[in-house]
Structures are given as C-alpha cells and as structure tokens.
Amino acid sequence: MTERISLEGKVAVVTGAGRGLGRAYVELLAERGARTVVNDLGTDVSGFGKDSTIAEQVADLIRSRGGEAVANDSDISTPEGGSDLIAATIEHFGRIDLLVNNAGICGSQLFEDATLDDFDHYWRVHLGGPVNTVKAAWPYMVAQRYGKIILTTSVSGLFGLRGQTTYAAAKCAVVGLMRILAIEGAEHGILVNTISPVGYTRMHPAAGSRLSEADGRASMPVEAVAPAIVWLASDSCSETNRIYNVGAGAIQRIAIVMGLGFYDAHLTPESIAENYAKVESIEGFSEPGPFEPSS
C-alpha cells in the first residue's frame, strides 16, 4: 500500500478558491496538512463585481477544522494583484511551495459576435492571472530550489466547444505557457503541470449547459478533482510538463503527438493529396519533447 500523502509544512496558494473547484482544492490541501492561502476576488461568473467575504468564509472554515489558512482578495488579472497575493503569502508563511492557478470566468459567445475587448477580458484572467502570479512566485521558488505550479486548461480549448471562442483561446494559451515554464523551471527544481478539470460549477450554465445542477453535482462532483491536486503537490510526484484530464473518478494524461506522416523530398500539393491517408494517420505516433534552439 502507498503511504498516505501528507503535505505537512507545505504552503499552498490557490486562486479562485472561494467556490467550486478551487474551494474543493484548498479544502483537501488543508486537510492533508498544507498551510493555505485562499485567493478569490468574489466576482460573478463573468468576472465583474467583488465580494471579499467569499474567500474569508472558506479560510474561516479551514481554521475551524484546525487548519492554517488566510484569505486574500487580490485581483490576479493585474500584475499588482499577482504581486500582492504572493507578497501576502511570504509575509504570513515565509515561503510558497505550491501555486494552483484555478481562477476563471466564463460565458457563451459565438466568434462572430466577439470583439477584441472580449478576448482581452478572458486573456487577462485565464492567461494573465497565471503570468502575474507565477512572475511573482518564481524568484522565491528559484531561491528555495523547489516549487510546484499547476495551471488550468479546458476541453473547450483542447478539443473544442461551440460558443467558447474567447474562453478556449485563453485556455489553450495556458498549455503553451506551461511548456516553457516547465523547461525553464527544471534547472531550479520547479515542476509545472496543467489539469483539465471536469467538475460541475456555476460555469456550466454560463457556458450554455442544459444539465440540471442536481445532476451535474451528482455526476461531476468538484471534490473528485481535488485528489489530483494533492498528488501533484506531493513530493512523491516528480512529473512536469504534463496535461491531465481529471473528473468523475478518472485521471488521464492528454498528449500532443505526431504520426509518421508522409515524406517526399520533392513534396508537391499533388503528392500530399495522393498520400493524405498517411498524412492523416497517427499510427506509430511519437510524442516530441522540448525543442532545442537552432544554432
């Protein structure tokens, strides 16, 4: 039997931890011994408004159970908010071991109706949030030669979902961010992974889901995603540069692979057309690793 995973002594920061998935994460992290920072601006599902009591309630709950937790309502979509969150963490706990970038917003909008301002609104939260918080946490993790970073992507971006162009574009950009952070963090003992969580939250109706709340919570409980966060945060996990689909009791690695393809030293449009079955096939696929800069 594997020894029970403990996070005693670890300091974990979770963004968007006041409700839904983030709350499930921070509660289980605290249950396993981590000292936690509960970050939540308290906005509505579209990212507007503010309610600092949302984070306070979760921190109070953790403390009532005997855990250590502080609430934080910094707006991580801004550089100042990201810096303030990490500064508050260091001031209170003296270090940061785990940063879970979970905060997100959601809506439903066809591409033809979306403006650049709409895209910017989503980018600032889903991509800007991780950039701002990681930027602030990075020097501390480098100095202690240890750190775990978990980013959040979505099947909406990885595989596609109608009406989610702004959300999906930002969520796929997160994967590109992870690739580089994992490469550059390796020499400093910093491990970076991404999860694609499947848990029923207030985002589902906002995205156009017609599933009832009762059915959604029963079939896709947010609590079923949290064990993956604890595992990734533990010292027994040495994975980096990975994407995991997690939900409803399942965890699967998602990979970007290349098939053998078709080769012709004198490639022409016609030879591609004639051999498209080989181009299309991923039989005998490989999974490329990080590329080296060309000299």
Side-chain angles (χ1 to χ4, degrees):
M1 291 284 290
T2 301
E3 185 178 346
R4 187 178 191 272
I5 289 176
S6 170
L7 300 178
E8 289 290 339
K10 304 292 187 189
V11 175
V13 176
V14 182
T15 69
R19 288 173 283 213
L21 287 160
R23 176 169 177 163
Y25 299 165
V26 80
E27 285 191 32
L28 189 58
L29 287 164
E31 182 185 312
R32 292 302 182 106
R35 295 173 288 169
T36 57
V37 179
V38 182
N39 166 260
D40 203 298
L41 186 58
T43 71
D44 64 20
V45 73
S46 299
F48 298 103
K50 181 175 181 177
D51 184 354
S52 60
T53 66
I54 298 297
E56 288 285 359
Q57 290 169 8
V58 179
D60 286 344
L61 176 64
I62 291 171
R63 288 192 293 265
S64 73
R65 295 172 175 172
E68 289 188 63
V70 294
N72 177 278
D73 64 356
S74 297
D75 180 0
I76 52 90
S77 71
T78 69
E80 297 78 17
S83 295
D84 289 346
L85 169 59
I86 303 306
T89 301
I90 300 301
E91 181 180 355
H92 195 87
F93 291 120
R95 63 182 290 119
I96 175 171
D97 299 291
L98 172 69
L99 172 59
V100 183
N101 281 282
N102 165 75
I105 57 175
C106 192
S108 184
Q109 185 179 42
L110 294 176
F111 174 72
E112 63 190 54
D113 299 323
T115 67
L116 189 57
D117 285 342
D118 294 324
F119 277 96
D120 187 62
H121 182 52
Y122 279 82
W123 289 339
R124 286 181 184 276
V125 176
H126 291 284
L127 184 60
V131 168
N132 294 330
T133 56
V134 172
K135 195 82 170 174
W138 198 262
Y140 295 103
M141 291 183 171
V142 169
Q144 66 198 24
R145 297 202 57 77
Y146 179 91
K148 298 285 189 82
I149 296 169
I150 301 174
L151 307 180
T152 305
T153 187
S154 170
V155 291
S156 298
L158 295 171
F159 304 115
L161 178 64
R162 180 180 173 83
Q164 292 298 305
T165 179
T166 49
Y167 178 83
K171 282 302 191 185
C172 256
V174 167
V175 174
L177 176 64
M178 176 199 71
R179 298 296 188 202
I180 312 308
L181 291 178
I183 294 169
E184 297 182 4
E187 64 190 89
H188 303 295
I190 302 172
L191 307 181
V192 190
N193 292 289
T194 300
I195 67 162
S196 175
V198 182
Y200 188 87
T201 70
R202 59 188 179 142
M203 285 191 176
H204 279 76
S209 172
R210 290 186 288 272
L211 186 67
S212 73
E213 181 176 348
D215 288 344
R217 290 187 182 278
S219 61
M220 298 180 290
V222 292
E223 293 79 9
V225 182
I229 300 295
V230 169
W231 171 69
L232 285 166
S234 70
D235 288 338
S236 62
C237 176
S238 58
E239 298 300 322
T240 193
N241 201 10
R242 295 285 188 259
I243 308 168
Y244 297 100
N245 188 65
V246 188
I251 177 168
Q252 306 140 303
R253 185 162 79 91
I254 297 173
I256 298 173
V257 301
M258 287 198 298
L260 295 175
F262 167 70
Y263 172 77
D264 180 351
H266 305 288
L267 195 67
T268 65
E270 293 74 23
S271 67
I272 294 173
E274 289 169 8
N275 293 275
Y276 185 69
K278 292 181 179 178
V279 176
E280 171 76 8
S281 174
I282 60 167
E283 185 176 348
F285 69 84
S286 63
E287 183 183 5
F291 289 90
E292 295 294 333
S294 55
S295 55

